[in-house]
Amino acid sequence: MDSGRLRQAYDELLVEIDAGGFGAPPEGQLSAEQIVAHLAANDELMSEATEAVLAGSPFAYYDLETIHRPQVDALVAQCGGLDGLATLFRATSQKLCALTERLGLAAETPVDTHLREGYDLNVDDSLPWGRTLDLHTKVHLPKHLSQLRLLRT
């Protein structure tokens, strides 16, 4: 697992978030606030999974996007808007990156993984945790970066 590439993906997202100026999303799409809340909540789940892997405990990872929209909306309200969400996202992404740097050979630990990225990716299988983190870096984060860029007014 390349933690440098993960950090770079997060840095790109944070630059975009900090730039602000997002408009309303098209019907049925996530707002900028919902995207950042989703990313922060997902980071927390990925950190829990990474901690479990490091401790040698079994864990199953489920992506939040389609199954926890009410919780994402609650997180938006709790953080009070984009600035609060950006602060939370900085903390969650830094934690995940730090944990990822500790994985070493544990990155090969199989974790039951359930991911869905629209039509691009559908995983319902046991994957080495490093592979799931790699998919997060190369597919999940860039997808949301693109969504944020499309919301720029």
Side-chain angles (χ1 to χ4, degrees):
M1 176 63 223
D2 181 3
S3 64
R5 187 169 170 132
L6 180 62
R7 284 189 186 278
Q8 180 182 359
Y10 279 123
D11 287 345
E12 290 175 18
L13 274 160
L14 287 163
V15 165
E16 195 69 27
I17 293 164
D18 288 344
F22 301 108
E27 183 71 29
Q29 300 291 320
L30 297 175
S31 69
E33 291 84 1
Q34 289 170 319
I35 291 168
V36 178
H38 160 73
L39 288 167
N42 190 64
D43 283 352
E44 289 175 349
L45 282 178
M46 294 192 93
S47 289
E48 288 177 21
T50 305
E51 288 171 335
V53 166
L54 287 166
S57 300
F59 198 88
Y61 168 72
Y62 296 85
D63 178 45
L64 283 176
E65 185 161 15
T66 57
I67 58 175
H68 293 97
R69 185 94 176 245
Q71 289 85 345
V72 167
D73 290 340
L75 188 56
V76 169
Q78 177 185 341
C79 288
L82 194 58
D83 288 342
L85 288 162
T87 298
L88 175 64
F89 182 52
R90 269 188 180 74
T92 61
S93 64
Q94 288 301 316
K95 179 179 180 180
L96 181 58
C97 288
L99 287 167
T100 298
E101 289 168 354
R102 294 177 40 207
L103 276 173
L105 294 177
E108 294 303 314
T109 303
V111 173
D112 288 336
T113 301
H114 308 276
L115 293 171
R116 179 161 293 145
E117 289 295 335
Y119 299 106
D120 299 329
L121 179 67
N122 187 1
V123 176
D124 189 9
D125 202 357
S126 181
L127 293 179
W129 186 240
R131 177 67 179 132
T132 302
L133 289 166
D134 190 50
L135 290 169
H136 177 66
T137 303
K138 293 178 180 175
V139 179
H140 187 240
L141 296 178
K143 172 192 169 192
H144 290 301
L145 178 61
S146 294
Q147 285 178 317
L148 287 169
R149 287 178 175 158
L150 289 173
L151 292 174
R152 177 97 41 234
T153 55

